[in-house]
Amino acid sequence: MSSGHKKRNFQIEAFKHKVVVDPKYAEKTWKILEHAIHEIYNHNASGLSFEELYRVCPWRFILEELNTKWSDHNKALQMIRDILMYMDRTFIPSTRKTPVHELGLNLWRDNVIHSDKIQTRLLNTVLELILRERTGEVINRGLMRNIIKMLMDLGPLVYQDDFEKPFLEVSADFYRAESQEFIECSDCGDYLKKAERRLNEEIERVSHYLDAKSEAKITNVVEKEMVANHMLRLVHMENSGLVKMLLDDKLEDLGRMYALFKRVPIGLPTIRDVMTSHIRDTGKQLVTDPEKSKNPVEFVESLLDKKDKYDKVIASSFNNDKTFQNALNSSFEYFINLNPRSPEYISLFVDDKLRKGLKGVKEEEIETMLDKVMMLFRYLQEKDVFEKYYKQHLAKRLLSGKTVSDDAERSLIVKLKTECGYQFTSKLEGMFTDMKTSQDTMQGFYSAHGSDLASGPTLVVQVLTTGSWPTQSSITCNLPSEMLALCDKFRSYYLGTHTGRRLSWQTNMGTADLRATFGNGQKYELNVSTYQMCVLMLFNNADCLSYREIEQATEIISSDLKRCLQSLACVKGKNVLRKEPMSKDIGEDDVFSVNDKFTSKLRKVKIGTVAAQKETEPEKQETRQRVEEDRKPQIEAAVVRIMKARRVLDHNNIIAEVTKQLQSRFLANPSEIKKRIESLIERDFLERDNVDRRLYRYLA
């Protein structure tokens, strides 16, 4: 076609002649459609009506027939909807009539499912089959899935009203009766297994042939009837409840209880409260048991074993639940502080481990042990009491050279520093500094006087800074003349190289190595304390000495002298002295002589090694008094800090804030805080308000 031709427009024109429509066209067309619909149904229908089915079929077969009829009905509906597609798409929406497919479903619902002769029997049959499945029979799940899906296809209300509501009611009755039967004849562990199995069965049933939305509803029924209604009875069940499970480490049963109780309201708080009560009761028994308190190391090991046990329970059975961990921590903090000697015992435990208990232990295991100690330390309300004892025990370890690992010692100090700050550990670090400085000092001393000292005894001195080490009353004893001359030489050297310093000897903290020859010619090297050395050296000039003569010659205080003589004369295998009369205790009328028959398999014999021991009652009172004195300036400093910031504050608030500020070190006593406030008022740091006497003002 050439480009010059014009484009032609096509038009559809009306008939030129008159068109006559058959007035019976619609009626004839409907008859054709009606016949087609009948043919569709007649082609798919069986020879029996539902009336006949109702009369002759056992109900276990009617579900199959109903399923078949439903399938046929769906196929017929599909074909009819295809035939009437144009009407469904145009006429139905404009006239707001019911669509063909929906109309077919409604007819099935009203004439079949809601039929008087079918509705009740259908529900009863489905519920009976579910009951049979619950009691162990195998049913046709595929058929059940089709029947339930039919109800769901007919609309959510049909599924809910005709099946789900009655199903949940019947299930509640079933599990109510079964749970009562189970709990009467089962222990707690077995009951929980049955409840767990039933819950899993219902979840599985939903996945096979019920609506997914029914899962939450049916599990709620099982949880309420089998768990929530019996919670208290289960946890308190005699010989099998929660406490028994905890005692017997039944981790699997505990995990099952946690998982089931987590599904119901107040389930976990119920477990947590019973567990907390049990831990507090058993913990209180442990820390107040006089037998356990006899051995501080065993006391602390019992605490650590208990903590390990419940940490494992919470990790393995309670899904590391933070609320359970918090309950465990609060329980330990409660009972560990019931025993006022807990800080001392924890320090003694550390002392035992760092002296001898960690020999041959791997570094990772040492760190684990130190972390456990720190965990117990955090529970202490009186951390300053622990610090006081720890400083004493550390001093003895360092001075006697008995620490197993300097790295372990420093690691623990780093952990304490991280936990409590620099102020808590500054003096402990100072102790290590003194030990290093003392080594340098001794090198200088022997460099200056080495030629003069070659033939005499060897002296090793640790020079301790007074503020860093535990305060010790200066206890003197009469040293042997050989040692006294050497000590005087060191004093002259030290004071000559350092100005403005003063030395006082702490003979009660020293050790000595002696070479001894006994009557049978046997030679040994004895490792003893300074006190023991002073006693043994007396026997170079005397064959036997009475207790009073030894006391007079050495001037060692009575309690220390008796312990010293006891270790020299009464310990089997280390009795280098003989005592008359023989007994375990030292009397003031006893007489001592060298044990000429002493023998030992070892060339070097350690006698009375310095070991931290549980304090006696007077020593305990003295330590407590020193702690209380140390607290006074800390309380005053806290009061001044708070008042400087707030300027004006009432009595109750200042007590609360001081307690909060100091709780990382100790639990401040309100009466002591009040005394410190009075002292600060007397020294013009604070004043009382003229009108309200409970109000304090800061004086700049």
Side-chain angles (χ1 to χ4, degrees), residues 434-435 437-438 441 461-465 469 490 494 501 503:
D434 283 349
M435 295 301 290
T437 307
S438 295
T441 301
V461 178
Q462 276 106 19
V463 183
L464 315 179
T465 306
W469 295 74
F490 178 80
Y494 186 81
R501 297 197 183 182
L503 287 179

Side-chain angles (χ1 to χ4, degrees), residues 260-419:
L260 288 172
F261 279 44
K262 188 178 181 179
R263 304 178 74 101
V264 300
I266 72 164
L268 293 186
T270 301
I271 299 178
R272 195 165 56 243
D273 291 347
V274 174
M275 183 192 81
T276 302
S277 176
H278 169 67
I279 294 174
R280 290 191 175 212
D281 290 345
T282 53
K284 184 178 180 180
Q285 289 172 14
L286 191 156
V287 300
T288 56
D289 183 356
E291 288 299 315
K292 290 281 185 187
S293 296
K294 285 180 180 177
N295 187 323
V297 176
E298 288 182 7
F299 175 87
V300 175
E301 282 176 343
S302 298
L303 289 176
L304 292 177
D305 289 344
K306 192 176 187 68
K307 184 66 166 55
D308 286 345
K309 173 190 174 78
Y310 287 102
D311 279 343
K312 185 177 179 182
V313 168
I314 291 171
S316 302
S317 304
F318 298 159
N319 197 31
N320 267 329
D321 192 311
K322 290 291 181 190
T323 61
F324 281 77
Q325 290 174 346
N326 293 339
L328 177 62
N329 289 334
S330 108
S331 299
F332 263 77
E333 185 175 348
Y334 160 74
F335 66 71
I336 207 169
N337 289 293
L338 292 177
N339 189 331
R341 305 196 78 164
S342 290
E344 177 191 357
Y345 289 177
I346 293 171
S347 180
L348 285 166
F349 174 80
V350 173
D351 185 74
D352 178 77
K353 295 299 177 187
L354 292 178
R355 276 178 178 277
K356 56 192 177 184
L358 297 177
K359 285 182 180 176
V361 176
K362 293 179 182 176
E363 189 176 335
E364 296 82 5
E365 293 174 11
I366 293 174
E367 282 298 308
T368 301
M369 186 279 293
L370 295 179
D371 287 338
K372 287 181 177 181
V373 168
M374 287 305 302
M375 174 261 300
L376 292 182
F377 171 77
R378 289 185 195 102
Y379 295 140
L380 294 175
Q381 290 173 347
E382 297 186 313
K383 294 180 174 64
D384 57 338
V385 178
F386 170 86
E387 181 194 13
K388 188 71 70 178
Y389 284 112
Y390 179 72
K391 191 188 287 186
Q392 291 176 10
H393 299 153
L394 175 62
K396 289 180 180 179
R397 287 197 299 278
L398 292 176
L399 295 176
S400 62
K402 295 296 188 296
T403 185
V404 170
S405 165
D406 278 347
D407 289 341
E409 294 280 9
R410 292 182 184 278
S411 176
L412 183 55
I413 289 175
V414 168
K415 292 178 191 295
L416 289 168
K417 187 176 183 178
T418 305
E419 191 72 26

Side-chain angles (χ1 to χ4, degrees), residues 27 44 46-47 58 95 116 122 129 164 178 196 291 329 436 446 528 537 547 558 568 626 657 668 681 695:
E27 185 181 344
N44 290 298
S46 68
T95 56
D116 292 340
L122 173 61
L129 286 172
E164 189 179 60
E178 185 175 78
E196 182 184 53
E291 288 299 315
N329 289 334
K436 178 68 176 70
Y446 277 103
V528 294
M537 293 285 279
Y547 172 84
S558 178
L568 291 170
R626 288 204 303 269
E657 292 208 25
I681 291 172
L695 211 60

Side-chain angles (χ1 to χ4, degrees), residues 349-548:
F349 174 80
V350 173
D351 185 74
D352 178 77
K353 295 299 177 187
L354 292 178
R355 276 178 178 277
K356 56 192 177 184
L358 297 177
K359 285 182 180 176
V361 176
K362 293 179 182 176
E363 189 176 335
E364 296 82 5
E365 293 174 11
I366 293 174
E367 282 298 308
T368 301
M369 186 279 293
L370 295 179
D371 287 338
K372 287 181 177 181
V373 168
M374 287 305 302
M375 174 261 300
L376 292 182
F377 171 77
R378 289 185 195 102
Y379 295 140
L380 294 175
Q381 290 173 347
E382 297 186 313
K383 294 180 174 64
D384 57 338
V385 178
F386 170 86
E387 181 194 13
K388 188 71 70 178
Y389 284 112
Y390 179 72
K391 191 188 287 186
Q392 291 176 10
H393 299 153
L394 175 62
K396 289 180 180 179
R397 287 197 299 278
L398 292 176
L399 295 176
S400 62
K402 295 296 188 296
T403 185
V404 170
S405 165
D406 278 347
D407 289 341
E409 294 280 9
R410 292 182 184 278
S411 176
L412 183 55
I413 289 175
V414 168
K415 292 178 191 295
L416 289 168
K417 187 176 183 178
T418 305
E419 191 72 26
C420 300
Y422 171 77
Q423 189 179 8
F424 192 90
T425 59
S426 58
K427 292 180 179 179
L428 302 177
E429 290 171 331
M431 292 163 73
F432 281 94
T433 304
D434 283 349
M435 295 301 290
K436 178 68 176 70
T437 307
S438 295
Q439 289 178 5
D440 299 338
T441 301
M442 290 314 298
Q443 286 178 1
F445 173 64
Y446 277 103
S447 296
H449 295 282
S451 56
D452 303 338
L453 306 173
S455 58
T458 304
L459 177 70
V460 178
V461 178
Q462 276 106 19
V463 183
L464 315 179
T465 306
T466 305
S468 298
W469 295 74
T471 51
Q472 296 274 349
S473 51
S474 187
I475 304 169
T476 57
C477 75
N478 294 334
L479 292 169
S481 56
E482 302 93 327
M483 294 305 302
L484 196 56
L486 198 52
C487 289
D488 288 340
K489 272 193 177 181
F490 178 80
R491 181 191 294 273
S492 300
Y493 165 78
Y494 186 81
L495 296 179
T497 54
H498 299 80
T499 56
R501 297 197 183 182
R502 187 164 54 88
L503 287 179
S504 60
W505 295 100
Q506 298 282 329
T507 50
N508 58 317
M509 299 171 73
T511 61
D513 290 327
L514 298 177
R515 290 192 183 92
T517 306
F518 291 88
N520 53 11
Q522 289 288 329
K523 294 182 179 181
Y524 296 98
E525 190 173 303
L526 307 179
N527 179 255
V528 294
S529 68
T530 303
Y531 284 169
Q532 291 168 335
M533 175 199 71
C534 294
V535 171
L536 290 173
M537 293 285 279
L538 294 175
F539 289 93
N540 282 337
N541 303 313
D543 291 331
C544 71
L545 292 166
S546 68
Y547 172 84
R548 295 183 190 281

Side-chain angles (χ1 to χ4, degrees), residues 79-303:
M79 295 171 73
I80 293 167
R81 187 170 63 176
D82 289 346
I83 294 170
L84 302 177
M85 186 183 297
Y86 182 76
M87 179 186 76
D88 223 14
R89 289 183 178 178
T90 57
F91 178 74
I92 297 296
S94 63
T95 56
R96 297 185 180 177
K97 301 289 185 182
T98 306
V100 172
H101 187 264
E102 186 180 337
L103 184 63
L105 294 179
N106 293 345
L107 289 168
W108 179 269
R109 177 194 65 200
D110 297 339
N111 293 286
V112 178
I113 300 303
H114 286 171
S115 160
D116 292 340
K117 296 170 182 177
I118 291 179
Q119 187 174 20
T120 304
R121 299 299 293 271
L122 173 61
L123 174 64
N124 290 342
T125 303
V126 172
L127 293 179
E128 183 187 348
L129 286 172
I130 291 174
L131 175 62
R132 288 182 178 182
E133 189 177 42
R134 282 174 177 158
T135 54
E137 286 189 36
V138 177
I139 66 168
N140 186 341
R141 284 181 165 181
L143 177 61
M144 287 289 281
R145 180 167 55 249
N146 291 340
I147 295 298
I148 297 298
K149 188 175 185 307
M150 173 188 72
L151 298 177
M152 290 162 59
D153 289 345
L154 295 174
L157 286 178
V158 175
Y159 174 79
Q160 290 168 13
D161 294 343
D162 287 71
F163 169 72
E164 189 179 60
K165 287 179 183 176
F167 165 67
L168 294 175
E169 289 170 5
V170 168
S171 297
D173 294 339
F174 174 80
Y175 285 117
R176 189 177 303 121
E178 185 175 78
S179 65
Q180 198 59 47
E181 180 187 338
F182 279 173
I183 207 161
E184 295 298 337
C185 64
S186 306
D187 65 19
C188 183
D190 288 341
Y191 180 90
L192 292 173
K193 285 177 188 173
K194 291 173 181 175
E196 182 184 53
R197 190 181 73 246
R198 284 304 196 188
L199 193 62
N200 291 335
E201 284 174 3
E202 292 301 331
I203 294 171
E204 186 189 10
R205 183 170 293 112
V206 172
S207 71
H208 277 95
Y209 56 81
L210 301 185
D211 183 2
K213 293 176 184 174
S214 297
E215 182 175 321
K217 299 173 185 177
I218 185 60
T219 52
N220 281 342
V221 168
V222 181
E223 289 158 7
K224 179 176 181 247
E225 299 301 338
M226 297 206 75
V227 181
N229 290 349
H230 302 288
M231 273 195 307
L232 291 177
R233 183 168 177 182
L234 286 168
V235 294
H236 294 295
M237 194 173 276
E238 193 174 354
N239 296 324
S240 70
L242 177 60
V243 170
K244 182 67 174 172
M245 289 179 185
L246 291 170
L247 289 172
D248 294 346
D249 294 326
K250 295 199 171 180
L251 300 181
E252 189 179 336
D253 286 345
L254 288 167
R256 188 174 290 111
M257 178 179 280
Y258 176 86
L260 288 172
F261 279 44
K262 188 178 181 179
R263 304 178 74 101
V264 300
I266 72 164
L268 293 186
T270 301
I271 299 178
R272 195 165 56 243
D273 291 347
V274 174
M275 183 192 81
T276 302
S277 176
H278 169 67
I279 294 174
R280 290 191 175 212
D281 290 345
T282 53
K284 184 178 180 180
Q285 289 172 14
L286 191 156
V287 300
T288 56
D289 183 356
E291 288 299 315
K292 290 281 185 187
S293 296
K294 285 180 180 177
N295 187 323
V297 176
E298 288 182 7
F299 175 87
V300 175
E301 282 176 343
S302 298
L303 289 176

